[in-house]
């Protein structure tokens, strides 16, 4: 077989490269992931202040050096935001070179895990510990640190150790575009194959990782209610349906492919008692599917009520919850949520209070837990921990508070300086719930941009700030447990998108699947010739004359060409024409002044003017009476009975 290969290679060398069947060149996954690498992802920091002797890499083997040189030459467009030494560091790590995370790898190189910031040292990259039989090639390898960093490092090394301990997948990034305004709603199904995004442009985009290529285009776009913003999206526990909550009073149910299954009824706005209405009467603010039961849905509205629905009955709700209020009236419920088991409901009211109801036999609208003035402004997000011990709240006042459900009088921790300008800003936990995160909005005078802030649950301190966009605000976020990828929606008044953060060494499927699938190239069969339409009437012979409408209008306005009669002059005359004075012509004016024309009708009594013709009409009738002169009976009037009545 070797001889045949050599013979074939020798014969093939005599022909040009374009001869014979051409093999399609495939882009390696490493190159694909390098294009999506975030410029600010620096999980590994310098742990040694001693500079490298040669200013370059540690010594490499000849085969590794040759592979590294070929890789450099094959990447003509490096990322300008990352240092040259960091790029070399990536390549050495990807090639399986002995580094701080272990010895050389056998087999094809794996994608680079994370970028290093300096060339003299590297932190831990990935979970595997260093092998015990590792030996450096040269003296320059003495600068490398093997194993976990010592306890004597400074605070930046401690933060790096925390990031590696939490294993935050943010080295790479892709953006799902398709909206023209800020993306305010996000939902990822439990398997991690489909993503839903809703926006202030009134549309919902559906993405499928399995059927999507590197162009990242949505396969369907919906508009639930015309003119109403999308405020929340939620998958059912079986992921066969999803709930769409908009600014209208009616929530909609769609199947997995985006076909409408039904919408809930709207209540009668003229009924004062909200418990007697069959549905919400004002715009919805939030809605979630029950985490365990696939027939139950919870919604909150601006009409001041929470309602539990059965998806099999769109005509009426199952339960109406009226929050406790300090004063009677209608205060909107800004957000609501289920706990992890679906046994409790938490709602945030517009007066700043948080109320919790436990679902038990005979429960009603009276809350089991009621905390007043939790925030100074409207609450935008609530989130229970899976163990049912903590409750997180996010508000317009720029704060995030951590509450102990056993002691709800005072919060455990308050995180300030988290600007929030959107009513859909939420909170999310990491899969192991060691971290929780939220997004920040862009302020006018701020230079930080939209950030994704991650906090430690046990220490209750800020762990990391991940920059998402310099100009767009981060609204909703989610950390999918199966994919190990972070989703963050962002946008402003003119654009919107969903950012997906992942790490090729830590994440699974999801973005890795679609980014490794190149778009299908156009073939000869895809060619469509543009049809040529031959219109005989386009020839000058058959062409209609140009319209002369404007010319006719111009002629009509000219009194000489249109022979238009002159209008009478109002007021004094000019140009040889006699004008009008006191509302009459000159002749009439002269006759009036001379006394020839007298107008006496204004001085006469109309009754006397009519009765002066009464005698003439009786003596000499002209119209009706002569026709009945011979046959008309004589009128006989009764004599006066006044004398008889007097008697």
């Amino acid at each position: 077989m070797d001889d045949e290969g050599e013979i074939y290679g020798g014969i093939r060398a005599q022909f040009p490269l374009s001869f014979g069947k051409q093999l399609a060149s495939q882009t390696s996954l490493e190159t694909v992931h390098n294009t999506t690498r975030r410029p600010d992802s620096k999980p590994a920091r310098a742990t040694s202040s001693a500079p490298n002797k040669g200013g370059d890499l540690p010594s490499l083997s000849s085969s590794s050096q040759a592979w590294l040189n070929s890789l450099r030459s094959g990447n003509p467009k490096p990322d300008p935001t990352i240092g040259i030494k960091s790029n070399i560091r990536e390549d050495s790590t990807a090639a399986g070179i002995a580094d701080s995370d272990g010895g050389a790898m056998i087999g094809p190189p794996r994608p680079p895990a994370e970028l290093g910031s300096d060339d003299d040292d590297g932190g831990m990259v990935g979970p595997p510990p260093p092998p015990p039989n590792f030996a450096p090639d040269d003296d320059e390898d003495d600068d490398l640190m093997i194993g976990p960093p010592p306890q004597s490092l400074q605070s930046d090394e401690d933060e790096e150790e925390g990031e590696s301990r939490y294993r935050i997948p943010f080295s790479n990034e892709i953006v799902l575009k398709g909206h023209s305004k800020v993306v305010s709603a996000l939902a990822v199904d439990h398997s991690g194959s489909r993503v839903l995004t809703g926006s202030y442009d009134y549309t919902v985009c559906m993405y499928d990782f399995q059927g999507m290529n590197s162009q990242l285009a949505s396969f369907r776009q919906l508009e639930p209610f015309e003119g109403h913003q999308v405020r929340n999206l939620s998958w059912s526990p079986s992921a066969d349906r999803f709930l769409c909550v908009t600014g209208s009073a009616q929530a909609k149910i769609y199947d997995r492919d985006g076909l409408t299954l039904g919408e809930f009824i709207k209540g009668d706005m003229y009924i004062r008692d909200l418990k007697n209405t069959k549905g919400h009467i004002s715009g919805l603010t939030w809605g979630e599917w029950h985490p365990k039961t696939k027939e139950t849905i919870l919604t909150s509205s601006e009409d001041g009520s929470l309602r539990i629905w059965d998806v099999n009955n769109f005509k009426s709700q199952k339960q109406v919850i009226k929050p406790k209020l300090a004063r009677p009236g209608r205060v909107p419920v800004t957000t609501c949520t289920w706990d992890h088991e679906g046994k409790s409901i938490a709602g945030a009211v517009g007066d700043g209070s948080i109320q919790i109801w436990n679902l038990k036999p005979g429960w009603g609208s009276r809350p089991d837990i009621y905390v007043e003035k939790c925030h100074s402004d409207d609450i935008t997000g609530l989130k229970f921990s899976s163990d049912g011990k903590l409750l997180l709240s996010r508000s317009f006042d720029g704060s995030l508070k951590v509450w102990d459900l056993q002691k709800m009088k005072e919060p455990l921790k308050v995180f300030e300086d988290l600007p929030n300008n959107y009513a859909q800003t939420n909170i999310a936990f990491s899969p192991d719930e060691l971290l929780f995160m939220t997004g920040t909005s862009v302020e006018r005078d701020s230079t930080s941009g939209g950030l994704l802030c991650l906090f430690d649950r046990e220490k209750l301190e800020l762990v990391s700030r991940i920059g998402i966009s310099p100009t767009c605000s981060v609204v909703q976020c989610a950390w999918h447990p199966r994919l190990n990828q972070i989703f963050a929606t962002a946008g402003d008044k003119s654009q919107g998108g969903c950012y997906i953060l992942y790490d090729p060494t830590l994440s699974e499927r999801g973005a890795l699947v679609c980014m490794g699938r190149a778009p299908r190239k156009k073939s000869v069969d895809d060619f469509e010739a543009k049809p040529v339409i031959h219109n005989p009437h386009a020839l000058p012979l058959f062409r209609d004359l140009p319209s002369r409408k404007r010319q006719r209008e111009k002629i009509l306005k000219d009194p000489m060409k249109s022979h238009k009669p002159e209008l009478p002059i109002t007021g004094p005359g000019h140009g040889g024409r006699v004008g009008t004075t006191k509302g009459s012509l000159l002749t009439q004016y002269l006759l009036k002044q001379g006394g020839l024309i007298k107008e006496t009708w204004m001085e006469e009594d109309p009754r006397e003017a009519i009765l002066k013709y009464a005698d003439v009409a009786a003596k000499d009738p002209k119209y009706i009476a002569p026709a009945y002169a011979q046959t008309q009976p004589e009128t006989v009037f009764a004599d006066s009975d006044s004398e008889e009545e007097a008697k």
Side-chain angles (χ1 to χ4, degrees), residues 335-366:
T335 185
C336 60
T337 185
W338 298 93
D339 69 341
H340 188 68
E341 298 295 331
K343 296 181 180 179
S344 298
I345 295 174
V349 189
D351 57 3
S353 65
I354 296 177
Q355 306 183 27
I356 301 176
W357 295 268
N358 296 325
L359 276 64
K360 53 189 177 182
W363 70 285
S365 295
R366 186 178 182 85

Side-chain angles (χ1 to χ4, degrees), residues 307-503:
R307 297 174 190 264
I308 300 177
W309 303 82
D310 187 352
V311 296
N312 298 320
N313 181 18
F314 293 101
K315 299 299 182 182
S316 180
Q317 71 274 342
K318 291 172 58 178
Q319 180 78 20
V320 181
I321 305 173
K322 295 176 62 177
K324 180 181 178 181
L325 300 176
R327 296 179 180 178
R330 288 185 180 178
V331 181
V333 180
T334 57
T335 185
C336 60
T337 185
W338 298 93
D339 69 341
H340 188 68
E341 298 295 331
K343 296 181 180 179
S344 298
I345 295 174
V349 189
D351 57 3
S353 65
I354 296 177
Q355 306 183 27
I356 301 176
W357 295 268
N358 296 325
L359 276 64
K360 53 189 177 182
W363 70 285
S365 295
R366 186 178 182 85
D368 296 287
I369 299 176
Y370 174 72
V371 184
E372 290 182 329
K373 299 179 181 180
C374 298
H375 289 271
S376 60
D377 208 336
D378 289 349
I379 300 172
T380 62
L382 294 173
K383 186 67 176 178
F384 282 100
S385 61
S386 61
D387 55 4
K389 295 181 179 180
L390 295 181
L391 177 66
L392 307 178
S393 63
R394 186 79 164 93
S395 174
F396 273 134
D397 58 9
S399 66
L400 187 153
K401 295 187 179 182
V402 183
W403 303 85
D404 186 357
L405 292 176
Q406 303 297 328
K407 303 175 182 178
M408 287 289 291
K409 293 184 178 181
E410 295 293 334
L412 294 177
K413 181 69 175 180
V414 179
F415 298 97
E416 301 288 348
D417 298 331
L418 300 173
N420 179 14
N421 299 330
Y422 292 93
Q424 289 76 34
T425 304
N426 70 336
I427 318 162
F429 277 101
S430 62
D432 53 4
E433 293 201 358
L434 294 178
L435 299 173
F436 56 88
M437 58 185 178
T438 186
T440 63
S441 301
V442 177
E443 298 289 332
R444 289 186 177 181
D445 301 332
S446 176
T447 58
S448 59
L451 302 176
L452 188 64
C453 301
L454 293 93
F455 305 89
D456 190 304
R457 176 182 173 178
E458 297 179 358
K459 300 179 181 179
L460 295 178
E461 61 183 10
L462 179 64
V463 172
S464 176
R465 293 174 181 261
I466 302 176
I468 300 298
S469 175
T471 58
C472 298
S473 303
V474 180
V475 181
Q476 288 208 352
C477 57
W479 192 332
H480 199 275
R482 292 193 179 182
L483 303 181
N484 195 21
Q485 298 174 12
I486 299 176
F487 297 79
T489 66
D492 54 15
K493 294 181 179 180
S494 60
Q495 59 180 337
C498 178
Y499 291 77
I500 303 179
L501 308 181
Y502 69 97
D503 192 323

Side-chain angles (χ1 to χ4, degrees), residues 4 72 97 100 110 170 175 197 207 242 263 273 296 303 320 333 336 343 359 408 411 486 511 542 584 613:
E4 292 180 1
R72 292 177 188 171
I97 303 167
S100 61
R110 65 181 180 181
F170 69 101
V175 184
T197 58
Y207 301 89
F242 67 89
E263 64 179 3
D273 190 359
T296 306
D303 60 7
V320 181
V333 180
C336 60
K343 296 181 180 179
L359 276 64
M408 287 289 291
I486 299 176
F542 302 99
S584 62
Y613 298 101

Side-chain angles (χ1 to χ4, degrees), residues 29 33 36 38 110-114 126-127 166-174 191-192 209 431 478-487 500-515:
L29 289 177
H33 294 314
T36 62
R38 290 170 52 87
R110 65 181 180 181
E114 292 173 335
Y166 297 124
R167 300 170 62 85
I168 304 173
F170 69 101
S171 64
N172 295 62
E173 171 189 287
I174 63 173
S191 63
F209 283 129
W479 192 332
H480 199 275
R482 292 193 179 182
L483 303 181
N484 195 21
Q485 298 174 12
I486 299 176
F487 297 79
I500 303 179
L501 308 181
Y502 69 97
D503 192 323
T505 59
L506 302 177
S507 304
E508 298 180 2
R509 303 193 305 275
L512 300 176
V513 175
C514 60
M515 288 306 299

